[in-house]
C-alpha cells in the first residue's frame, strides 16, 4: 500500500513538472490569452479547486508522516548519530535501518516538491489570468479613449485638438 502511495506521488510530481513546463513555454500572447479566456469561460479553476485542496492536504499529511518517521528513525540510531561511519562488523540491522532512512528521506522530498509545485502552478495560472484581465481592461480603455477622441474632434480623426498637459499642470488649474 505504501509503495502505491509513493508511486502515485511520484507520478503526480511528474505530471506537475510537465504542466509547469507547458505553462512557462513562451507562446504568442494571443494564443495564451485565448487559452486563458477559454478556461475562464469553463470555470475550470472553480471546478478543480476542491480536488486540488484535497491533493494539497494529502501531500501535507504525507510530508508530515515522512518527517515524523524520519525523526523516529533518527532517535533509534546508535549513539554515533544518523550518519556515522559503520564498521564492517556492525550488526546487519544497520543496513535495513539505512535503507529505511533513505526511502523516508526520498518520500519526504517527493511530497515536499509535489506540494511546492502545486503552489507554483496555482500562482502561475493566477498571474496568467491577471495578465489577460489587465490586457482586456487596457483594450477597453483604448477603445473608450478612441471613441472619446472621435466625439470630441467631431468625427474626424484629428487628435491634435485635444490639449495634453502634464499631470501637475492639470492639478494647478
Amino acid at each position: 500500500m505504501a509503495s502505491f502511495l509513493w508511486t502515485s506521488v511520484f507520478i503526480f510530481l511528474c505530471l506537475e513538472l510537465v504542466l509547469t513546463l507547458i505553462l512557462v513555454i513562451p507562446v504568442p500572447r494571443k494564443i495564451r490569452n485565448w487559452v486563458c479566456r477559454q478556461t475562464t469561460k469553463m470555470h475550470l479553476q472553480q471546478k478543480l479547486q476542491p480536488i486540488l485542496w484535497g491533493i494539497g492536504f494529502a501531500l501535507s499529511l504525507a510530508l508530515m508522516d515522512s518527517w515524523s518517521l524520519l525523526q523516529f528513525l533518527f532517535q533509534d540510531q546508535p549513539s554515533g548519530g544518523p550518519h556515522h561511519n559503520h564498521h564492517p562488523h556492525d550488526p546487519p540491522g544497520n543496513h535495513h535501518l539505512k535503507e529505511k532512512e533513505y526511502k523516508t528521506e526520498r518520500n519526504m522530498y517527493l511530497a515536499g516538491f509535489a506540494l511546492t509545485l502545486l503552489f507554483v502552478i496555482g500562482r502561475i495560472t493566477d498571474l496568467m489570468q491577471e495578465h489577460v484581465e489587465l490586457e482586456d481592461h487596457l483594450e477597453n480603455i483604448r477603445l473608450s479613449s478612441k471613441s472619446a477622441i472621435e466625439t470630441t474632434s467631431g468625427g474626424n480623426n484629428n487628435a491634435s485638438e485635444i490639449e495634453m498637459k502634464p499631470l501637475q499642470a492639470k492639478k494647478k488649474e
Side-chain angles (χ1 to χ4, degrees):
M1 181 65 182
S3 178
F4 176 72
L5 170 73
W6 293 111
T7 303
S8 302
V9 170
F10 175 72
I11 291 170
F12 183 71
L13 179 63
C14 290
L15 291 174
E16 282 180 319
L17 287 169
V18 169
L19 182 60
T20 304
L21 183 65
I22 290 170
L23 288 174
V24 298
I25 288 177
V27 295
R29 186 174 57 202
K30 291 186 181 220
I31 294 172
R32 184 186 64 232
N33 290 349
W34 181 81
V35 170
C36 286
R37 284 187 188 100
Q38 295 305 316
T39 56
T40 302
K41 286 179 185 177
M42 294 187 312
H43 304 288
L44 200 56
Q45 187 176 12
Q46 289 83 10
K47 291 177 184 176
L48 292 178
Q49 192 170 17
I51 296 169
L52 293 176
W53 275 103
I55 290 172
F57 182 71
L59 286 172
S60 298
L61 287 177
L63 182 64
M64 288 189 303
D65 180 51
S66 294
W67 182 77
S68 64
L69 182 58
L70 192 61
Q71 293 301 315
F72 178 75
L73 288 174
F74 282 165
Q75 288 174 356
D76 280 355
Q77 290 284 334
S79 61
H83 298 289
H84 75 284
N85 292 333
H86 293 285
H87 192 271
H89 300 294
D90 278 347
N94 276 347
H95 174 69
H96 294 295
L97 192 61
K98 287 196 71 70
E99 180 182 346
K100 197 176 251 190
E101 178 186 330
Y102 166 76
K103 285 183 179 181
T104 304
E105 287 174 346
R106 177 204 59 197
N107 294 343
M108 190 171 66
Y109 286 127
L110 281 174
F113 288 139
L115 189 60
T116 302
L117 263 181
L118 196 62
F119 291 129
V120 167
I121 290 170
R123 187 62 185 143
I124 289 172
T125 56
D126 288 345
L127 287 173
M128 288 175 70
Q129 185 61 38
E130 271 182 49
H131 185 262
V132 169
E133 290 171 1
L134 287 174
E135 279 193 353
D136 289 344
H137 185 66
L138 182 63
E139 187 63 30
N140 288 339
I141 290 173
R142 282 184 186 145
L143 291 175
S144 65
S145 67
K146 187 176 182 180
S147 65
I149 289 172
E150 288 176 357
T151 57
T152 305
S153 63
N156 59 10
N157 289 331
N158 189 3
S160 62
E161 295 176 18
I162 298 176
E163 185 179 344
M164 302 298 268
K165 294 182 181 179
L167 192 57
Q168 291 81 13
K170 287 184 179 181
K171 288 182 180 178
K172 290 179 184 176
E173 291 178 355

